[in-house]
Amino acid sequence: MMRFLLLFSRQGKLRLQKWYTPLSDRDKKKVIRDMMMLVLPRPPRSCNFLQWRDLKIVYKRYASLYFCAGLESQDNELLALEVVHRYVELLDKYFGNVCELDIIFNFEKAYFILDEFLMGGEILETSKVAVGVSLEEADTLQETMEEYMTKPAY
């Protein structure tokens, strides 16, 4: 089971965080700081797997963002790398070649996509098409509600 998923920039700015096990805010901040200190200085051709405390850390850099996942010791690192890659594919499909600014200005959509794909640190839906349909339905519902709310009452 995935314990957490973090997205941070090369400059060390946290862009997204999802925790699948309860931690205090203080512990979360320490984990985030430790992940950035471990991952950011690594050379580009380094292995994407690390051992940290009792967890396996899997990370992958896409453009200016690092996607970093903390796994339990019995979890498969390659599967976690595939999960991260699938999430990036889903973001790309929705945003059309996702970039850091898409995550910053549409963080609620990035979280929604993640929640449609993963639940409790486990894969919920493997089909990109099914996740895409959920996103389209949510967008349609949101547009309908916005139209309804802006419509003048007579």
Side-chain angles (χ1 to χ4, degrees):
M1 181 181 96
M2 192 179 291
R3 296 264 190 97
F4 60 82
L5 180 67
L6 305 173
L7 271 69
F8 49 87
S9 69
R10 285 184 302 192
Q11 294 78 29
K13 301 276 189 215
L14 186 65
R15 298 303 182 201
L16 186 135
Q17 59 179 322
K18 188 69 174 185
W19 302 90
Y20 296 108
T21 55
L23 286 175
S24 68
D25 286 345
R26 184 175 176 218
D27 289 339
K28 287 178 183 177
K29 286 178 183 168
K30 179 157 179 37
V31 170
I32 292 165
R33 188 179 64 242
D34 287 354
M35 289 306 103
M36 288 183 190
M37 288 173 53
L38 273 173
V39 171
L40 289 175
R42 290 177 63 85
R45 295 213 179 268
S46 297
C47 178
N48 293 54
F49 310 134
L50 298 165
Q51 189 67 38
W52 179 76
R53 296 186 186 168
D54 63 333
L55 298 178
K56 292 178 185 177
I57 305 302
V58 175
Y59 73 93
K60 181 85 171 129
R61 180 176 162 194
Y62 291 92
S64 64
L65 285 176
Y66 286 89
F67 291 70
C68 180
L71 312 174
E72 294 178 355
S73 58
Q74 72 273 11
D75 288 337
N76 184 325
E77 300 96 327
L78 293 174
L79 180 60
L81 209 52
E82 280 297 312
V83 167
V84 167
H85 186 70
R86 176 58 56 100
Y87 181 50
V88 172
E89 287 178 332
L90 290 166
L91 290 170
D92 269 345
K93 185 175 184 215
Y94 184 79
F95 291 111
N97 200 11
V98 68
C99 67
E100 189 175 350
L101 289 175
D102 291 323
I103 303 292
I104 293 169
F105 293 116
N106 300 291
F107 66 90
E108 70 286 340
K109 284 293 180 194
Y111 278 112
F112 184 81
I113 293 167
L114 185 60
D115 290 342
E116 287 294 310
F117 175 51
L118 293 176
M119 180 180 279
E122 302 282 344
I123 297 171
L124 176 66
E125 180 56 68
T126 57
S127 168
K128 285 190 277 189
V129 173
V131 173
V133 167
S134 293
L135 291 170
E136 287 173 21
E137 289 172 353
D139 284 347
T140 302
L141 180 63
Q142 185 177 4
E143 290 166 11
T144 304
M145 288 303 294
E146 286 171 0
E147 287 174 13
Y148 177 76
M149 298 303 281
T150 57
K151 196 178 200 178
Y154 292 105

